[in-house]
């Protein structure tokens, strides 16, 4: 895993980073309704699962944009990772707990999809917070609340306010007229991600859902 230090004196975002990290420490979340009608139709025809697919699409976009791959080295110097891997959850119905898994990212959907399913199968009966350990530093959390739809979702991180990794939470999708809607909440740190960046992410995610046949055909799956 490659990590690249950022030289603050040459970084155009440096004054914004310093302001939102120290003067006005600020993380924020945005919840958007994603139309997944076309995506679900394509997945049903190909007998593919929704959960690994949406995790793949999010990981794909995060890895295309540096603002979602920001972090620190062991000396707390800011930089960015070459690649970040998704952490996702398995719910244990019998005792109402969950386990946190991570799946190695690749932009090849067919390969990622199989890796995801293999991880879930291997660890589905193993209890504990992180049965697949260690979790790599270059990872991001992806959570799902499949029992409830929501119009807003907010996390409160009680630490020093320096958590730069984006946090994804999706809810139960539902039908609204002729559309199937997925509520998606994304929390980011303002030091590395502005409204432009988070809006671009949601627009690109919607575009991938709208044109799912194209990229699924490309991956021959």
């Amino acid at each position: 895993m490659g990590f690249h230090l950022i030289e603050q004196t040459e970084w155009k975002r440096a004054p914004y980073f310093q302001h939102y990290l120290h003067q006005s420490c600020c993380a924020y979340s945005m919840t958007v309704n994603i139309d997944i009608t076309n995506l679900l139709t394509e997945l049903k025809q190909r007998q593919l699962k929704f959960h690994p697919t949406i995790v793949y699409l999010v990981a794909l976009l995060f890895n295309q944009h540096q603002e979602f791959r920001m972090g620190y080295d062991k000396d707390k110097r800011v930089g960015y990772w070459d690649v970040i891997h998704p952490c996702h959850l398995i719910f244990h119905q019998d005792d109402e707990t969950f386990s946190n898994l991570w799946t190695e990212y690749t932009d090849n959907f067919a390969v990622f999809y199989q890796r995801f399913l293999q991880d879930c199968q291997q660890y589905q009966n193993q209890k504990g917070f992180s049965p697949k350990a260690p979790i790599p530093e270059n990872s991001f959390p992806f959570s799902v609340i499949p029992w409830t739809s929501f119009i807003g979702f907010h996390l409160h991180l009680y630490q020093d306010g320096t958590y730069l990794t984006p946090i994804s939470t999706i809810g139960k999708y539902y039908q609204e007229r002729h559309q199937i809607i997925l509520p998606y909440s994304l929390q980011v740190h303002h030091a590395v991600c502005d409204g432009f960046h988070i809006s671009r992410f949601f627009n690109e995610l919607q575009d991938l859902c709208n044109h799912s046949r194209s990229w699924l055909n490309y991956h021959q799956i």
Side-chain angles (χ1 to χ4, degrees), residues 31-92:
T31 301
V32 172
N33 287 334
I34 302 296
D35 181 358
I36 58 171
T37 311
N38 290 342
L39 176 61
L40 287 181
T41 298
E42 289 296 325
L43 295 180
K44 183 177 181 180
Q45 291 175 353
R46 300 163 195 259
Q47 297 183 315
L48 297 172
K49 297 179 180 294
F50 173 72
H51 191 196
T53 305
I54 194 67
V55 174
Y56 165 79
L57 293 178
V58 171
L60 175 71
L61 293 176
F62 282 178
N63 278 286
Q64 289 178 353
H65 298 293
Q66 181 178 304
E67 61 266 16
F68 298 119
R69 293 181 279 116
M70 302 293 292
Y72 302 97
D73 69 358
K74 58 182 176 59
D75 298 316
K76 298 298 289 182
R77 294 176 297 179
V78 69
Y80 61 94
W81 301 101
D82 280 335
V83 62
I84 55 174
H85 309 286
C87 288
H88 49 97
L89 308 178
I90 289 181
F91 183 71
H92 304 296

Side-chain angles (χ1 to χ4, degrees), residues 27-31 150-157 169 185-187:
Y28 67 97
S29 63
M30 181 184 293
T31 301
F150 51 74
I151 58 175
F153 184 87
H154 305 279
L155 291 168
H156 303 279
L157 298 177
T169 307
S185 177
L186 180 60
Q187 178 165 309

Side-chain angles (χ1 to χ4, degrees), residues 3 17 39 93 95 98 111 143 148 160 187 193 199 202 206:
F3 185 79
F17 180 80
L39 176 61
Q93 189 71 43
D95 63 359
F98 66 88
V111 174
S143 299
T148 308
D160 58 1
Q187 178 165 309
C193 191
S199 297
F202 280 120
Q206 184 62 73

Side-chain angles (χ1 to χ4, degrees), residues 17-33:
F17 180 80
Q18 294 297 330
H19 177 80
Y20 288 116
L21 195 69
H22 301 297
Q23 282 76 44
S24 230
C25 189
C26 176
Y28 67 97
S29 63
M30 181 184 293
T31 301
V32 172
N33 287 334

Side-chain angles (χ1 to χ4, degrees), residues 199-214:
S199 297
R200 177 173 61 186
F201 165 80
F202 280 120
N203 290 335
E204 291 178 345
L205 179 60
Q206 184 62 73
D207 188 63
L208 287 170
C209 291
N210 291 344
H211 300 94
S212 52
R213 178 178 298 178
S214 176

